[in-house]
Amino acid sequence: MTMTHVDISRRTFIRTAIAAGGGMILGFSIPGLPKALAATAPGAAWMLDDDGTEINAWLTIDKDSIVTVRCPHTEMGQGGMTSVAIMIAEELDIPWDNVRAVMASANRHVTEGEVYVNMSTGGSNLVRNRHPHIMQAGASARERLKEAAAQAWGVSRADVTAKQGKLTSGDKSASYGEFAEAAAGVTLAEEPKIKAYGDWWLAGTPVKRIEVAHKVDGSAIYPIDVRLPGMVFAAVKACPVPGGKLKSFDFSAIKDRPGVIAAVELKQKGEELANADLRSGVAVVADNYYRAKIALALMPIEWDYGPGVDNSTAKMDGLAQELLGQDAEQVEEVRGDPRPILASAGKTVSGDFHRPYESHVSMCPPTAVANVTPEKVEVWSYTQNVAATLLLAADQAGRDPKDVFVHATYQGGAFGNGNQNDVPRQAVEISKQIGKPVLAIWSREEDVMQDRSRPPVWSRMTADIGSDGLPTAMLIRAVGESVNPGYADRNLANMPYMVPNFRYERHAVPSHIPIGPHRAPGANNNVFMLEQFVDEVALAGGWDPLDWRIKMTEGNEPWQRVLLKMKEIGGFTTDLPKGQGMGIGIAEDHGSIVGVIATVEVSRRGNLFVDKCLVVANSGYVLNTRGAEEQCFSAVGWELSHALFGGLTMENGQFTNVNFDNYKMLRMPDMPEVETVFALSEDQWWGGFGEPAGPPSPAAVANAIFFATGKRVRSTPIIKHDLSWS
Amino acid sequence: MSFTLTVNGTAHDVDVEPETPLLWVLRDVIGLTGTKYGCGIAQCGACTVHIDGQPQKSCNVNAAAASGRQITTIEGLSADASHPVQQAWVEHTVPQCGYCQSGQIMSAVALLNATPNPSDSDINSAMAGNICRCATYPAIRTAIHAAADKMKKI
């Protein structure tokens, strides 16, 4: 193995590390970056800088006043590492160029009374719900620096100012670094309040991502890139029908193949497959991954598929279609009773909608490294919560959590799938059994087949139109799947349009496919259905779709702010030549209200081009406008990928399109221009940005397709519909 | 079977089955992990490297077939992340999760080597083989145009 070890200066903050006691050596080629490209977060993100003085668990300050922020949350592309650093730097008041970032220690969190409060990463929570305690950590450090200086200078803390890394009082002045050690010993009688909006100097501005330099030269370390001395490689296969069990395998058939070391049975603990349990399956271990993968494919394996084997897309769809015609007992929301009105002979509009199963397919498939030794357990894993993964690893290894170390690498995407994934359990189990460090990799096919998938949904929506053209009654009947049918409710049960008589009810069809959160869960499917239907309702009543939404959300300030901005700047019109269309969609997701105006062209032969998505977002406040814009176009692309090209099909209880050749993704030529405009309430509430721009986008595109072609696209993937016109 | 691969100008003797995909030899035998696995069937482009200057999906190249040819990976693109494409990627903060970006950059460099002033249509064609689940495509497009400008000035 060829690796380059280079002496590394603290300034560039990339470290070759020897983990204490473990003898682990990681090598990196060091890019000696020019100053403009200086990396401010390490390629091996979990490696703590130990040169500074720890002020609290969240940060250190060194003698040159370089501040190293420890990020407790996963960096999976959403910019979380940068967000945490901004929040700390804002309160600490340190020049952004002096800020470095590393990943916080999960072991410390678990063994020191949850010192980071919460290490989970998801639900677009990082800024909107965690800023109080993260900013508090920075504010507390700042006040302790001031107190240390005040004590040294014989003045009161109120007479000391802390600004841009400098402490001053009268003619006295010092850098933060000079008082870091003294500040570490200060206890405040009372913790300071965090800054109010309006007092910010860094938050609310466009800030570039902090870790990006390592993502252009191959030095950013993902779980699949971790290398340990003596490490071996495992290819894993769980029962292809989720919930089924391994019956037997014949290792003797492959044991003499080159490089093959072992086959390891993976035993599910519970009788029924539970979230975060180890799935029943088998792993083949070899001296490189390809040898392990080929040997696994050649090894005879017998499965007890279990009852899931009778399930299929056709079966679920057939059952759902029947249920759409029946009253549902599960009723989540009622205002008045729309049913008698809809049964009378008024003017009604009705539509049936459907979204299929989808997979996350993060570019880095689930992988984990584990090294189980008598002294400790070390893990690097696919995750969105290193502390939760630590507890899973401890459980699987049968070890005290204090002896388990889960190191936070960068994640090659996760999108909700990093919660409760069992690949760290697999790696721990294999390492435990064979006594070697192991890297377990899911092939892309395994990833799709074992994903905690995004659930399918079906719905029938019916509305009665009154004499003023506005709806008097509306019934939404949804059909979800049985594992987590509540996903069907989101954005439907609580839809914002003030129809006087409204009812939302839900059925479920049985399924065995594990379900999990998937970027904007629930909203990702349901907004596509609702926002098309309300366009139909508006048009049936003679209303412009944008004016209808403004009318139907009167008094709802956060929505009005977005809709009126869309009207002001969007140039929305239903009056374009055939073959061209503009469409709108709007939704509230993870606290943010986001509207999208899509502009499309459809050729006579039915080829679709999405030219542009204008995103208007109200998140209350924005921490980092550049980061928010990046998440907006990312979420638009994410949702359009699934809506235009996606959709899993299932036969005999297993998904059949399990790699990118037949599970299609949005690519460069398919990506529209995305422009993001903020329309902020600035009214003491925060929304998130990792997800909310996604859900309205496919609805906006589908509505635009209607105006371009006269065709309603009520299901996805859109690309399978005939959009031709003449 | 033992053969020699020349990667980033350095010769490596490797002993693997000749049909082993170049991707896994780079990652697991030679230890260059910047080249990524995404699909194994030449559909996602995360494993893109240059072979004799041409972009190739290394999961789809038998390692033995690359013997005697010049293989360049992301680690060999420049010694110090100073390639204009890498600089443009940083300046425009292209990567989000970053996992696909080694492949994106290798495809972009190949495009610019062949077409110094690419149109948006050229970019669509050259980059269509590289999937990004974070949908950083708008930033990639901007950065390719910026890199083209940088390369003209060199």
Side-chain angles (χ1 to χ4, degrees):
Chain A
M1 186 177 286
T2 304
M3 283 186 172
T4 312
H5 293 269
V6 181
D7 258 343
I8 305 146
S9 77
R10 180 161 47 84
R11 279 284 178 216
T12 55
F13 204 74
I14 312 158
R15 305 180 69 81
T16 302
I18 302 170
M24 180 201 77
I25 300 172
L26 282 151
F28 306 98
S29 59
I30 301 307
L33 294 165
K35 193 166 188 298
L37 302 187
T40 48
W46 64 93
M47 291 189 182
L48 297 178
D49 178 34
D50 52 11
D51 292 343
T53 299
E54 180 176 304
I55 309 299
N56 56 36
W58 295 75
L59 65 110
T60 64
I61 303 178
D62 76 5
K63 289 193 164 42
D64 299 321
S65 297
I66 298 295
V67 173
T68 299
V69 173
R70 294 166 178 166
C71 174
H73 299 289
T74 306
E75 176 54 71
M76 51 191 178
Q78 89 286 28
M81 204 176 200
T82 308
S83 294
V84 171
I86 291 171
M87 288 187 271
I88 297 283
E90 171 64 52
E91 288 287 350
L92 192 59
D93 210 327
I94 186 88
W96 181 245
D97 286 349
N98 286 5
V99 177
R100 309 288 179 263
V102 297
M103 288 301 180
S105 163
N107 182 272
R108 181 171 184 177
H109 176 75
V110 169
T111 57
E112 293 185 15
E114 300 188 331
V115 67
Y116 295 110
V117 184
N118 185 333
M119 298 187 86
S120 80
T121 312
S124 294
N125 274 314
L126 201 160
V127 175
R128 69 183 176 120
N129 286 333
R130 310 223 159 98
H131 73 273
H133 70 253
I134 297 174
M135 292 179 79
Q136 181 68 47
S140 181
R142 181 196 66 228
E143 291 305 307
R144 289 161 68 196
L145 286 162
K146 285 166 65 180
E147 180 63 30
Q151 287 175 14
W153 294 338
V155 299
S156 79
R157 176 151 48 108
D159 292 330
V160 179
T161 58
K163 199 164 180 60
Q164 294 298 292
K166 281 254 184 279
L167 296 156
T168 52
S169 181
D171 58 355
K172 294 201 166 57
S173 159
S175 71
Y176 285 8
E178 290 172 67
F179 276 103
E181 286 187 18
V186 167
T187 304
L188 297 175
E190 189 181 351
E191 286 294 328
K193 288 196 169 81
I194 64 170
K195 285 182 182 178
Y197 173 72
D199 296 337
W200 296 342
W201 62 274
L202 177 63
T205 68
V207 180
K208 291 186 175 183
R209 304 176 68 94
I210 203 165
E211 86 292 9
V212 76
H214 284 289
K215 293 179 172 176
V216 303
D217 64 2
S219 63
I221 303 296
Y222 302 86
I224 201 169
D225 303 324
V226 173
R227 295 292 182 270
L228 304 177
M231 190 183 90
V232 293
F233 297 80
V236 293
K237 189 171 185 62
C239 183
V241 179
K245 303 264 175 62
L246 179 72
K247 270 164 63 177
S248 66
F249 60 91
D250 181 9
F251 180 57
S252 67
I254 59 159
K255 70 179 172 50
D256 295 329
R257 289 189 56 81
V260 168
I261 295 165
V264 174
E265 180 177 358
L266 304 169
K267 287 182 182 159
Q268 186 175 307
K269 285 189 179 163
E271 188 55 34
E272 301 281 316
L273 178 58
N275 262 354
D277 195 358
L278 185 67
R279 290 163 215 231
S280 178
V282 62
V284 169
V285 183
D287 63 353
N288 71 50
Y289 175 68
Y290 188 71
R291 284 173 166 172
K293 184 177 189 236
I294 294 299
L296 174 64
L298 292 171
M299 185 168 75
I301 306 173
E302 282 193 72
W303 303 101
D304 170 5
Y305 289 125
V309 74
D310 296 328
N311 201 7
S312 68
T313 299
K315 186 175 178 180
M316 289 181 75
D317 192 54
L319 209 49
Q321 297 302 333
E322 285 180 32
L323 290 169
L324 284 176
Q326 300 170 16
D327 291 340
E329 288 182 8
Q330 185 75 27
V331 180
E332 296 290 332
E333 179 72 23
V334 178
R335 291 194 296 272
D337 191 351
R339 291 172 297 179
I341 301 168
L342 293 169
S344 67
K347 180 178 183 181
T348 61
V349 181
S350 185
D352 286 5
F353 299 89
H354 172 52
R355 300 294 306 266
Y357 278 112
E358 301 281 357
S359 185
H360 297 81
V361 282
S362 52
M363 288 308 297
C364 184
T367 53
V369 168
N371 190 19
V372 179
T373 66
E375 296 78 33
K376 62 179 175 178
V377 176
E378 285 192 285
V379 174
W380 295 254
S381 180
Y382 191 71
T383 182
Q384 289 178 222
N385 182 343
V386 281
T389 297
L390 188 154
L391 298 177
L392 292 184
D395 180 64
Q396 193 67 37
R399 300 283 286 272
D400 189 323
K402 76 176 172 51
D403 297 325
V404 180
F405 298 82
V406 175
H407 306 292
T409 67
Y410 296 109
Q411 295 293 332
F415 309 110
N417 195 34
N419 300 294
Q420 304 179 320
N421 186 284
D422 61 342
V423 73
R425 280 190 185 273
Q426 293 174 337
V428 166
E429 182 64 23
I430 298 164
S431 177
K432 189 170 83 171
Q433 290 200 30
I434 67 171
K436 294 176 192 290
V438 66
L439 166 56
I441 300 176
W442 289 14
S443 68
R444 179 60 66 197
E445 293 82 1
E446 182 74 0
D447 172 36
V448 177
M449 295 179 94
Q450 302 301 335
D451 189 48
R452 287 193 162 79
S453 302
R454 161 171 161 175
V457 67
W458 298 257
S459 71
R460 175 165 298 167
M461 304 195 189
T462 316
D464 175 88
I465 312 296
S467 56
D468 58 356
L470 294 171
T472 63
M474 185 166 163
L475 171 65
I476 300 178
R477 183 178 295 145
V479 180
E481 49 67 62
S482 59
V483 177
N484 199 341
Y487 278 127
D489 303 344
R490 297 185 182 191
N491 300 70
L492 296 183
N494 58 344
M495 70 101 185
Y497 304 113
M498 282 297 119
V499 182
N501 296 281
F502 175 71
R503 181 181 173 92
Y504 168 81
E505 59 185 40
R506 180 234 298 159
H507 293 282
V509 291
S511 181
H512 66 299
I513 298 292
I515 292 304
H518 176 127
R519 203 173 192 175
N524 49 20
N525 283 339
N526 302 342
V527 173
F528 172 79
M529 306 190 294
L530 177 72
E531 284 292 297
Q532 280 203 81
F533 184 64
V534 300
D535 253 38
E536 295 185 68
V537 170
L539 294 171
W543 279 77
D544 170 88
L546 184 51
D547 291 338
W548 186 95
R549 287 172 173 83
I550 293 169
K551 175 71 178 169
M552 295 296 290
T553 58
E554 275 180 352
N556 186 339
E557 190 277 337
W559 282 67
Q560 291 280 303
R561 190 174 289 274
V562 172
L563 288 163
L564 293 172
K565 179 61 79 174
M566 290 166 77
K567 178 130 177 133
E568 176 193 336
I569 65 169
F572 176 72
T573 175
T574 58
D575 189 25
L576 289 172
K578 195 152 190 191
Q580 298 175 37
M582 296 181 85
I584 58 181
I586 179 171
E588 182 168 349
D589 177 66
H590 292 96
S592 291
I593 298 90
V594 178
V596 171
I597 299 180
T599 307
V600 309
E601 295 173 62
V602 184
S603 73
R604 285 177 185 274
R605 295 175 65 181
N607 290 320
L608 170 68
F609 304 92
V610 183
D611 293 329
K612 181 174 178 181
C613 287
L614 170 68
V615 174
V616 179
N618 184 0
S619 55
Y621 305 97
V622 180
L623 183 78
N624 175 1
T625 53
R626 186 184 180 100
E629 287 170 17
E630 288 174 351
Q631 285 312 292
C632 282
F633 72 67
S634 174
V636 168
W638 177 268
E639 262 319 298
L640 289 183
S641 183
H642 289 290
L644 293 174
F645 304 106
L648 294 170
T649 54
M650 189 211 319
E651 289 171 24
N652 302 317
Q654 2 184 336
F655 290 125
T656 56
N657 49 335
V658 292
N659 204 330
F660 295 129
D661 53 344
N662 48 20
Y663 187 46
K664 299 285 189 185
M665 299 289 127
L666 179 135
R667 294 169 182 265
M668 174 67 87
D670 314 310
M671 183 74 190
E673 177 195 348
V674 179
E675 179 189 356
T676 297
V677 175
F678 301 109
L680 304 174
S681 288
E682 296 175 356
D683 188 28
Q684 307 304 316
W685 57 269
W686 288 74
F689 265 108
E691 308 168 75
S697 301
V701 166
N703 284 330
I705 289 170
F706 174 78
F707 289 117
T709 66
K711 290 181 170 176
R712 272 280 158 220
V713 179
R714 292 193 174 89
S715 66
T716 64
I718 290 172
I719 200 145
K720 287 194 176 164
H721 291 264
D722 175 8
L723 302 181
S724 63
W725 56 273
S726 56
Chain B
M1 176 181 154
S2 187
F3 52 95
T4 301
L5 292 177
T6 304
V7 185
N8 303 328
T10 303
H12 298 267
D13 294 325
V14 298
D15 185 9
V16 296
E17 296 72 65
E19 71 276 14
T20 307
L22 177 61
L23 168 67
W24 297 109
V25 177
L26 292 172
R27 290 184 53 83
D28 295 355
V29 180
I30 297 174
L32 292 169
T33 57
T35 305
K36 304 302 190 196
Y37 165 69
C39 68
I41 56 168
Q43 291 290 312
C44 79
C47 67
T48 304
V49 300
H50 293 179
I51 300 178
D52 291 342
Q54 296 303 307
Q56 300 278 338
K57 295 184 171 78
S58 64
C59 74
N60 205 36
V61 174
N62 290 348
S67 185
R69 306 172 71 183
Q70 294 294 325
I71 302 161
T72 307
T73 70
I74 187 73
E75 293 92 342
L77 196 55
S78 65
D80 51 3
S82 62
H83 190 285
V85 170
Q86 290 172 304
Q87 290 186 330
W89 246 242
V90 170
E91 286 164 18
H92 293 274
T93 58
V94 173
Q96 291 194 14
C97 92
Y99 189 81
C100 74
Q101 297 295 342
S102 297
Q104 303 279 3
I105 289 169
M106 297 310 282
S107 290
V109 169
L111 164 66
L112 290 167
N113 285 344
T115 311
N117 192 20
S119 65
D120 280 339
S121 173
D122 294 332
I123 292 173
N124 284 347
S125 304
M127 303 304 292
N130 292 80
I131 294 173
C132 175
R133 289 290 284 146
C134 303
T136 62
Y137 305 114
I140 291 172
R141 187 183 299 280
T142 301
I144 289 175
H145 286 306
D149 288 344
K150 284 176 189 289
M151 289 167 83
K152 273 180 228 149
K153 289 174 192 149
I154 291 171

